[in-house]
Amino acid sequence: YERLSNPEEQQRTEIEFPLPNHPFAEIYSKNISCEMEAHNFKKAMKCAEEALQYMGENAYFTWCLAIACEKQEMFGKAAKQYEKLLKEYPDNYIICAKLAVAYLYRGYYKKALPYFEKAFQNGVQAKWFLFAYMECAKSNEKEQHFEQVLLVLLEKANKQEYRKNILDYCLSFEMYTRGNEKKYKHIPDILKYYYTYTVAIKSKFQE
């Protein structure tokens, strides 16, 4: 209930695919979880590959492999796994968003853009996704896309849980103004939020 009642929690990146019906599936799953928690992403990746080789193609270990590859910054390999998953689950927009981000960090800016747009239009608004979408829009010189994501971030800035993330909004400000100095219409709004955040966290400052 807590997850479903919290929009941010609904968009968590840990999609729950069912374990394959195999006696060793749970052992592989636990091994991967342990390696991921220990930040041994290369070992987690190998374990997921071994599970897929041993048990055949399945969504659960494909997702595990994709996440492990992403953590290893092997975005090309991660993208291949997300492509497989999206074919099987075409209406899962978190997978669509993860594929968009993998394409972006692989350097496929144009290829990534329609996946960003599709995930965004279908309600994906997690922060990791929005900032990546802004980066993709900037790389593709799509100012309209960039501005619509920026406005969503500014809207979210009103929510209490976002007020501690002042550096994120500094990043959005920098991205908006860089090479775009003639378009200042949103800067007063951004500066207003900076002021709000600074006041909210001033107790944490030494001076």
Side-chain angles (χ1 to χ4, degrees):
Y1 172 80
E2 287 176 1
R3 286 178 176 176
L4 292 174
S5 63
N6 184 337
E8 282 301 305
E9 192 63 34
Q10 286 185 51
Q11 293 180 13
R12 67 193 189 284
T13 57
E14 296 173 5
I15 298 174
E16 293 179 358
F17 293 109
L19 271 174
N21 185 19
H22 191 283
F24 294 142
E26 192 170 342
I27 295 171
Y28 275 110
S29 176
K30 286 180 179 178
N31 286 343
I32 292 168
S33 295
C34 288
E35 298 295 358
M36 292 291 281
E37 286 173 14
H39 292 247
N40 295 325
F41 304 126
K42 191 172 183 179
K43 287 184 179 180
M45 188 175 69
K46 287 184 177 179
C47 191
E49 286 176 329
E50 187 179 316
L52 285 166
Q53 187 175 5
Y54 189 60
M55 284 176 254
E57 291 293 328
N58 65 83
Y60 180 87
F61 288 112
T62 301
W63 175 258
C64 292
L65 178 57
I67 296 296
C69 290
E70 188 180 291
K71 295 290 186 181
Q72 274 286 103
E73 298 185 359
M74 298 177 67
F75 296 109
K77 193 167 183 176
K80 287 181 181 178
Q81 309 313 313
Y82 291 132
E83 286 169 348
K84 290 178 188 176
L85 289 168
L86 198 59
K87 282 182 182 178
E88 192 173 349
Y89 299 91
D91 296 328
N92 190 312
Y93 299 108
I94 291 294
I95 297 172
C96 183
K98 297 288 278 183
L99 177 58
V101 174
Y103 280 153
L104 172 68
Y105 294 135
R106 182 68 180 84
Y108 300 150
Y109 307 118
K110 289 183 180 179
K111 195 172 182 180
L113 188 63
Y115 291 95
F116 274 111
E117 189 175 8
K118 186 176 181 180
F120 182 78
Q121 289 176 349
N122 285 279
V124 180
Q125 292 189 358
K127 229 174 20 152
W128 57 267
F129 170 76
L130 292 176
F131 279 100
Y133 190 7
M134 287 175 72
E135 185 178 339
C136 186
K138 198 76 171 176
S139 298
N140 283 286
E141 298 181 349
K142 299 289 186 181
E143 294 298 328
Q144 187 177 356
H145 291 248
F146 186 93
E147 287 198 14
Q148 71 178 354
V149 179
L150 178 64
L151 290 173
V152 170
L153 281 168
L154 290 174
E155 183 182 339
K156 284 179 173 293
N158 285 315
K159 297 182 179 179
Q160 188 67 36
E161 63 265 27
Y162 280 82
R163 292 188 177 176
K164 61 185 178 180
N165 299 311
I166 187 169
L167 291 178
D168 289 339
Y169 294 96
C170 287
L171 174 62
S172 70
F173 178 78
E174 181 190 346
M175 289 177 70
Y176 180 71
T177 55
R178 189 189 316 135
N180 196 27
E181 290 80 1
K182 293 182 180 179
K183 296 181 180 179
Y184 284 116
K185 61 182 178 180
H186 295 302
I187 290 178
D189 292 330
I190 298 171
L191 291 176
K192 180 182 71 175
Y193 289 120
Y194 287 168
Y195 176 77
T196 304
Y197 303 145
T198 306
V199 170
I201 65 174
K202 67 181 181 181
S203 62
K204 298 178 188 283
F205 296 149
Q206 290 182 354
E207 298 180 359

